[in-house]
Amino acid sequence: MSEPAAVLAGLGAHVPPRTVTNEELSRRMDTSDAWIVQRTGIRQRHWADPGVATSDLAVEAGHRALKSAGTAGPDDIGMVIVATATPDTQCPATAPDVAARLGLGTIAALDVSAGCSGFVYALATASAALVAGYAERVLVIGAETFRPFLDPADRSTAVIFGDGAGAVVLRRGTADEPGAIVSVDLGADGTLKELVGIPGNGSRHRSTDRPPDPADQYLFMHGKEVFVHAVRRMAQSSSAVLAQAGWSVGQVDHVVGHQANLRILHALAKQLGVDGERLVRHLDQVGNTSAASIPLALADAAAQGRFQAGDRLLLTAFGAGLTWGSVALTWPGIALA
Ligand code: UT7
């Protein structure tokens, strides 16, 4: 009898309808389509309209993932995890509201805050909960609305980030089934917390007498330094998760890296010794959607028919914290809603 494991059973995605092209941004700030494409690979992103919050996107994606999983009813899901760096409110968490609006009753619901690594951290949390028997099925959603946190005067972040949500349903199964999470690697280095973040609203800021500064509500990022750590940590974590899975790099069919920057993905592929064909790329369409980036990329590649049942996938992410993490799983051959 194979070991118990979390198995991918459903997948859904949602991006807000408004598309913002590089051309549009270059009319608003000192940037250009050529700079953005050359330095990042991003061609457009989606931004939520005013009034739309992270939970609104999460509910849409969650609904689609539940449909894709063919869940019989609300009783099927035992836990909801929302990975986000842009929760609706500082307190309470976003997940209980999402669970309620999806009609899932009074089940366990929590947020995971690990920046752009949030989805991978949430998969690991869900996987542990399933293996421990706390739930039979867990809905995991990565969702972000970054637009309100982007300083319109900061071209180094305003052109990068986009809004959206992606979701998966994981069920309790066994490690030999297609769709099983085979191994997980997570890490963090808090000594590098000053490289990327949104300082406002936390107790550190509230604990001082300093008057609120609008700049504290915006995302800051030291892009060049983050770039270097991103490549190094994702490469190390990928190697660790593959070693744990007992897979060689050559056996990996698809690398789904956090969609932050095409140059980062190429550098990662080079370090791992993976050819570019096996890299999943979605950031040209949606930009960096932080915790939503991996499930959105999965949904896009699945919709294009890129994955076959039994394919071996390596997911790897990096983000604020600093945090990083990787997951090795096989593809289950699920239907998209
Ligand atoms: O998802 C969370 C983790 N985040 C990441 O992984 C992001 C990692 N970092 C990156 O992706 C890249 O560092 C960026 C895309 C953010 C920036 O690219 P870069 O090649 O590192 O550019 P840079 O910051 O070194 O800036 C190069 C030049 C600067 O001008 P000078 O000083 O050389 O004259 C910037 O002022 O490009 C300028 N610049 C821009 N020019 C046009 C910065 N942003 C822009 C812009 N348009 N939007």
Side-chain angles (χ1 to χ4, degrees), residues 312-334:
R312 295 175 192 225
L313 271 68
L314 164 66
L315 316 182
T316 186
F318 179 87
L322 298 179
T323 56
W324 55 87
S326 305
V327 166
L329 80 158
T330 55
W331 192 250
I334 43 175

Side-chain angles (χ1 to χ4, degrees), residues 125-136:
T125 309
S127 175
L130 288 162
V131 171
Y134 298 152
E136 284 298 313

Side-chain angles (χ1 to χ4, degrees), residues 89-166:
T89 52
Q90 170 72 26
C91 180
T94 301
D97 179 41
V98 170
R101 285 162 60 192
L102 285 169
L104 297 176
T106 54
I107 59 172
L110 68 147
D111 286 5
V112 164
S113 176
C116 301
S117 314
F119 185 74
V120 168
Y121 265 72
L123 282 184
T125 309
S127 175
L130 288 162
V131 171
Y134 298 152
E136 284 298 313
R137 286 184 184 74
V138 180
L139 175 62
V140 179
I141 308 174
E144 305 282 10
T145 41
F146 258 103
R147 184 199 54 81
F149 299 97
L150 297 175
D151 181 349
D154 181 2
R155 63 182 180 170
S156 73
T157 52
V159 305
I160 307 283
F161 290 88
D163 302 340

